Amino acid sequence: MFKLKKTASSTKARLGTLSTDHGKIDTPIFMPVGTLGTVKAVKQDELIDKVKAQIILGNTYHLYLRPGCDIIENAGGLHSFINWDRPILTDSGGYQIFSLSDNRELTEEGAKFKSHLDGSKHMFTPENIVDIQRTLGSDIMMVLDECPPYPSSYEYAKESMELTHRWEKRGREAFLNTKPKYSHKQAQFGIVQGGTYEDLRIESSKYVTDLDFEGIAIGGLSVGEPTELMYEMTDLNTDYLPEDKPRYLMGVGKPENLLHAIARGIDMFDCVLPTRNARNGQIFTRNGYINIRNAKWKNHQKPLDPDFPTDLCQKYKMSYIHHLFRNNELLGLELASLHNLTFYLWLMDKVKERITNDTFHTWYKEKAEVLGTKI
Amino acid sequence: MFKLKKTASSTKARLGTLSTDHGKIDTPIFMPVGTLGTVKAVKQDELIDKVKAQIILGNTYHLYLRPGCDIIENAGGLHSFINWDRPILTDSGGYQIFSLSDNRELTEEGAKFKSHLDGSKHMFTPENIVDIQRTLGSDIMMVLDECPPYPSSYEYAKESMELTHRWEKRGREAFLNTKPKYSHKQAQFGIVQGGTYEDLRIESSKYVTDLDFEGIAIGGLSVGEPTELMYEMTDLNTDYLPEDKPRYLMGVGKPENLLHAIARGIDMFDCVLPTRNARNGQIFTRNGYINIRNAKWKNHQKPLDPDFPTDLCQKYKMSYIHHLFRNNELLGLELASLHNLTFYLWLMDKVKERITNDTFHTWYKEKAEVLGTKI
């Protein structure tokens, strides 16, 4: 499903194409997160027409609890339920069980957990998480894993990784022994774990590669470790991953993180940050980020950046955007969410241009520094 | 500014055109409410392209407190501040002083009140409320009035009406003695009061007519009185209002209320109901209203009304809309707000068609009953 088109000079940045029955995806790509089947505050047609999203993400844990697999199956799958005919990736719920559930219990069989909504008891296994994602009908499904916290002891990270490996083997078999429920094909990605320990990361890269998933994700990062350590682990991982499979760094991140991770060989990203931070008033721009709630914008009577193609940048004076946020008006959340996602996809386009004309290595560090600066 | 085009048979329903420097308005019309300079959850371009809004309303009380007149003046007026180049009507703040402010004190001079935001002290007078609306630059401004509660004693209603009349005389003089701050003309509407007492309503209709405002509003209704009484008072008022001035029934209401009020000679409406109720899950349809949170929609796998031109009706299965509301997703609020406003403006179009072909009187009562039914 993946075609590597070009590898850049001096860095590990790559251009590629990921093919699904719902369309092609040009990598490097950022995937807006639609946890419950909606990218918060953004309409589906805006995701296509304005954000230029090529693929969005849904969360298996959340969708399994609400509305539940029966409702989505009755609707004809997740694409039909949410009226989205481009590619969808669903995660495996491993991260949510780690982050959302107070009471969880890991056994060899799988992960028992209590719903964060009503306390009801559930269990995810490597096998049923494949079945659930067959019902959702995502174009790309993720294998069940355990995401260890940071910091974890070497012993915990190793045991957790080994459990994840056994789950991944079972998950891959379950995938290969079952068929899609709808008329389109599905792919399955494995997940590399290993905490922040180099030998475990290398071992996991090799193990997951051997299971021959259609793509490979790097998990367990962006969970509180220093940014430099995240970059190091990513760099190490991609050294041991095959060239001909897409690489997906889960849950990352800020614009500058994306540039550094692309330089280290990553093709795919997802993160709630652009939409969540938009709702808190953080706006990403080509010259750094701002907080629109700051009083400096109260009487700022010009648009933010008339040359950047979003309504927030072109159509309104900053005094108005500030006013919307100060009064918790929904329009502020809508404009900011739409802007930040458009910015992320715009950044991926710039990256592709830079890799295409082979100037990525001379550009990305400086650009990352600019993007990470508060203005 | 108003041209009466046609009066229907058998009812007092009218067709007219209201001309402003920001464009013409075909009456009967519903004006979406943009309290703080934004119609909640709806983008300005959607108001034009989808809702087909011809005029929107802003609240002087709210805008005066936030962002404040200085910010709006620096932006070049309310149209420029919110990036809206169609007509705007601003109210006078009288109703908000009545409904929002715990501590208010009415004197001959005006209304002293404490801000609901920070407790700061302010005063609106018939004169400064003209100045404030000159700064906002609305196409239609309202005169300062007092809105008595329901029920009010005859004595209170009479004294309140008389104070309002004295304020209106001063307000009209202030309007005639001042000029617009921007390049477009402004009009001023008077407000009829008098509680629910027939003789006071008649007296007020005559008094306000004599002040020769560009239009006349009926105030003090839809404040808790029985619906039939609201219709009676409206009917009585319009008997005493001139044919050649637009009539605006403030703060009304439900779709069925609009039809009954149009039959009684009303041309203009505003109400937060379509957007506020949308946010609570009430959706208006051609066949009655529904509550999308109701469990009956949970597994309803069809669109609501594929022939009605809104995304809510055409693009999504009801199971998805229900899911969005059940999870308090912003997309649900956006789709429902957009739908309800589109429905209100669609209803005004149907009314115009019915008056044009002179079948309004045979249609509106039955239609009102259908629209007021929960399905």
Side-chain angles (χ1 to χ4, degrees):
Chain A
M1 77 183 296
F2 183 71
K3 190 167 184 295
L4 181 65
K5 288 160 59 183
K6 177 169 182 170
T7 303
S9 302
S10 309
T11 75
K12 289 150 76 179
R14 302 142 42 104
L15 284 184
T17 309
L18 199 57
S19 298
T20 77
D21 284 351
H22 283 99
K24 283 192 179 180
I25 301 150
D26 298 312
T27 62
I29 194 68
F30 178 81
M31 305 181 281
V33 178
T35 303
L36 276 155
T38 163
V39 176
K40 288 188 194 302
V42 181
K43 298 186 174 79
Q44 274 78 324
D45 55 358
E46 293 172 326
L47 282 173
I48 292 173
D49 298 338
K50 297 186 173 178
V51 174
K52 317 284 186 197
Q54 297 187 22
I55 174 173
I56 61 173
L57 191 141
N59 286 113
T60 294
Y61 170 89
H62 289 96
L63 292 166
Y64 162 84
L65 292 176
R66 270 198 189 161
C69 289
D70 53 338
I71 302 289
I72 292 178
E73 184 161 18
N74 290 343
L78 188 56
H79 288 86
S80 174
F81 181 62
I82 72 171
N83 192 26
W84 175 258
D85 64 3
R86 295 196 177 187
I88 297 174
L89 181 147
T90 47
D91 66 3
S92 63
Y95 182 77
Q96 277 73 31
I97 293 172
F98 152 71
S99 67
L100 286 180
S101 186
D102 290 339
N103 291 305
R104 58 150 198 180
E105 187 193 335
L106 298 185
T107 65
E108 189 62 32
E109 190 187 358
K112 290 182 190 169
F113 62 97
K114 283 189 183 172
S115 161
H116 73 287
L117 295 171
D118 61 8
S120 56
K121 292 179 182 176
H122 303 268
M123 183 167 197
F124 281 164
T125 67
E127 292 81 12
N128 78 8
I129 213 72
V130 169
D131 292 337
I132 292 168
Q133 292 177 95
R134 290 282 190 209
T135 299
L136 296 178
S138 47
D139 299 275
I140 300 171
M141 69 168 74
M142 303 301 299
V143 75
L144 187 66
D145 66 330
E146 196 221 337
C147 180
Y150 176 84
S152 287
S153 69
Y154 184 84
E155 196 169 38
Y156 184 90
K158 185 172 161 61
E159 280 181 19
S160 166
M161 179 195 76
E162 287 168 353
L163 178 64
T164 287
H165 287 175
R166 293 191 297 275
W167 283 359
E168 295 200 67
K169 191 164 187 295
R170 284 165 53 195
R172 187 59 179 164
E173 280 165 14
F175 177 81
L176 294 173
N177 291 326
T178 53
K179 292 202 165 124
K181 289 196 173 179
Y182 312 105
S183 59
H184 59 277
K185 285 194 290 292
Q186 294 183 280
Q188 186 189 42
F189 280 22
I191 303 175
V192 173
Q193 289 288 355
T196 49
Y197 299 100
E198 292 193 9
D199 63 323
L200 299 181
R201 283 273 160 192
I202 292 170
E203 182 184 340
S204 190
S205 300
K206 290 177 178 173
Y207 185 90
V208 176
T209 297
D210 285 346
L211 288 175
D212 201 26
F213 292 97
E214 283 74 32
I216 298 172
I218 298 174
L221 296 179
S222 200
V223 291
E225 77 283 4
T227 304
E228 275 307 319
L229 188 55
M230 174 179 78
Y231 294 156
E232 280 170 33
M233 291 296 121
T234 301
D235 207 14
L236 180 69
N237 273 147
T238 57
D239 275 346
Y240 291 86
L241 295 179
E243 286 286 314
D244 62 348
K245 295 281 172 73
R247 299 133 170 203
Y248 162 28
L249 181 57
M250 300 180 85
V252 174
K254 297 180 189 173
E256 60 268 31
N257 301 151
L258 269 57
L259 295 184
H260 279 285
I262 287 166
R264 287 159 178 84
I266 297 297
D267 307 306
M268 301 166 70
F269 301 91
D270 79 289
C271 195
V272 296
L273 192 142
T275 41
R276 179 177 291 167
N277 289 22
R279 297 197 300 280
N280 292 325
Q282 187 180 25
I283 312 290
F284 297 103
T285 86
R286 298 184 284 186
N287 305 312
Y289 65 89
I290 67 165
N291 192 313
I292 189 61
R293 291 180 175 274
N294 192 300
K296 74 191 262 194
W297 304 108
K298 187 180 177 185
N299 201 7
H300 186 98
Q301 301 291 358
K302 288 182 182 167
L304 182 58
D305 183 355
D307 294 328
F308 193 81
T310 61
D311 286 357
L312 183 142
C313 277
Q314 294 184 327
K315 286 197 180 173
Y316 301 101
K317 295 169 170 65
M318 290 301 279
S319 58
Y320 182 61
I321 307 289
H322 174 85
H323 167 71
L324 294 175
F325 269 88
R326 194 158 172 239
N327 291 287
N328 302 312
E329 284 287 352
L330 294 165
L331 181 59
L333 310 185
E334 296 174 33
L335 292 173
S337 301
L338 200 48
H339 168 87
N340 277 357
L341 287 176
T342 305
F343 181 82
Y344 268 61
L345 272 290
W346 169 87
L347 185 62
M348 292 302 98
D349 276 348
K350 291 294 133 191
V351 163
K352 283 167 202 152
E353 282 175 29
R354 289 282 173 174
I355 302 175
T356 300
N357 66 22
D358 220 6
T359 57
F360 181 80
H361 61 290
T362 63
W363 167 79
Y364 82 95
K365 281 186 194 166
E366 199 180 321
K367 189 69 181 173
E369 197 171 330
V370 169
L371 297 182
T373 306
K374 184 166 185 177
I375 56 174
Chain B
M1 76 182 295
F2 182 72
K3 190 166 182 297
L4 182 66
K5 288 159 60 184
K6 177 170 182 170
T7 303
S9 302
S10 308
T11 75
K12 289 150 77 178
R14 299 141 44 101
L15 284 184
T17 309
L18 199 57
S19 298
T20 76
D21 284 352
H22 284 99
K24 284 193 179 178
I25 300 149
D26 299 312
T27 63
I29 193 71
F30 178 81
M31 305 181 281
V33 178
T35 304
L36 276 155
T38 164
V39 176
K40 289 189 193 303
V42 181
K43 298 186 175 76
Q44 274 79 324
D45 54 359
E46 293 172 327
L47 283 173
I48 292 173
D49 298 338
K50 298 186 173 178
V51 174
K52 317 286 186 196
Q54 297 188 22
I55 174 172
I56 61 173
L57 191 141
N59 287 114
T60 294
Y61 170 89
H62 289 96
L63 292 166
Y64 162 84
L65 292 176
R66 269 196 190 164
C69 289
D70 53 337
I71 302 290
I72 292 178
E73 183 160 20
N74 290 342
L78 188 57
H79 288 87
S80 174
F81 182 61
I82 73 172
N83 192 27
W84 175 259
D85 65 5
R86 295 196 178 187
I88 298 175
L89 182 148
T90 48
D91 66 3
S92 64
Y95 182 78
Q96 277 73 32
I97 293 173
F98 152 70
S99 68
L100 287 179
S101 186
D102 290 338
N103 292 305
R104 59 148 197 182
E105 187 193 336
L106 298 185
T107 66
E108 189 62 33
E109 190 187 359
K112 289 182 190 170
F113 62 96
K114 282 189 182 172
S115 160
H116 72 288
L117 296 170
D118 60 9
S120 57
K121 292 180 182 175
H122 303 268
M123 183 167 196
F124 281 164
T125 68
E127 291 81 14
N128 78 8
I129 213 72
V130 169
D131 293 338
I132 292 168
Q133 291 178 94
R134 290 282 189 210
T135 299
L136 296 178
S138 47
D139 298 276
I140 300 171
M141 68 169 74
M142 302 302 297
V143 75
L144 187 66
D145 66 329
E146 197 221 337
C147 181
Y150 176 84
S152 287
S153 69
Y154 183 83
E155 195 169 42
Y156 185 90
K158 183 172 161 61
E159 280 180 18
S160 166
M161 179 195 75
E162 286 167 352
L163 178 64
T164 287
H165 287 175
R166 293 191 298 275
W167 284 359
E168 295 199 67
K169 190 163 188 295
R170 284 164 52 195
R172 187 59 179 165
E173 279 164 16
F175 176 81
L176 294 173
N177 291 326
T178 53
K179 291 202 165 127
K181 289 196 173 179
Y182 312 106
S183 59
H184 59 276
K185 284 193 290 292
Q186 294 183 282
Q188 186 188 41
F189 280 21
I191 303 175
V192 172
Q193 289 290 353
T196 49
Y197 299 100
E198 293 194 9
D199 63 323
L200 299 181
R201 283 274 160 192
I202 293 170
E203 181 184 343
S204 191
S205 299
K206 290 178 180 173
Y207 186 89
V208 176
T209 297
D210 285 345
L211 288 174
D212 202 25
F213 292 98
E214 284 74 31
I216 297 172
I218 297 174
L221 297 178
S222 200
V223 291
E225 78 283 3
T227 304
E228 275 307 320
L229 188 54
M230 174 178 77
Y231 294 155
E232 280 170 35
M233 290 296 121
T234 301
D235 206 14
L236 180 68
N237 272 146
T238 57
D239 274 345
Y240 290 86
L241 295 178
E243 286 286 314
D244 62 348
K245 296 281 173 73
R247 300 132 171 206
Y248 161 28
L249 181 57
M250 301 181 85
V252 174
K254 297 181 188 172
E256 60 270 30
N257 300 151
L258 269 55
L259 295 184
H260 279 285
I262 288 166
R264 288 160 178 83
I266 297 296
D267 306 305
M268 302 168 69
F269 301 91
D270 80 288
C271 195
V272 297
L273 192 143
T275 43
R276 178 178 290 165
N277 290 23
R279 298 196 301 280
N280 292 326
Q282 188 181 24
I283 311 290
F284 297 101
T285 87
R286 297 185 283 187
N287 306 311
Y289 65 89
I290 67 166
N291 193 313
I292 189 60
R293 292 180 175 273
N294 192 300
K296 74 190 262 194
W297 304 108
K298 187 179 177 185
N299 201 8
H300 185 99
Q301 301 291 358
K302 288 182 182 168
L304 182 58
D305 183 355
D307 294 327
F308 194 80
T310 61
D311 286 358
L312 183 142
C313 277
Q314 294 183 328
K315 286 196 179 173
Y316 301 100
K317 295 168 171 67
M318 290 301 279
S319 58
Y320 182 61
I321 308 289
H322 174 84
H323 166 71
L324 295 175
F325 270 89
R326 195 160 171 236
N327 291 286
N328 302 312
E329 284 287 352
L330 294 166
L331 181 59
L333 310 185
E334 296 175 31
L335 293 174
S337 301
L338 200 48
H339 168 87
N340 277 357
L341 287 177
T342 305
F343 180 80
Y344 268 61
L345 272 290
W346 169 87
L347 184 62
M348 292 301 99
D349 276 348
K350 291 295 133 193
V351 164
K352 284 167 203 153
E353 281 175 32
R354 289 282 172 176
I355 302 176
T356 300
N357 65 24
D358 219 6
T359 57
F360 182 81
H361 61 289
T362 63
W363 168 79
Y364 82 94
K365 280 186 195 166
E366 199 179 322
K367 190 68 180 172
E369 194 169 333
V370 169
L371 298 182
T373 305
K374 184 166 185 178
I375 55 174

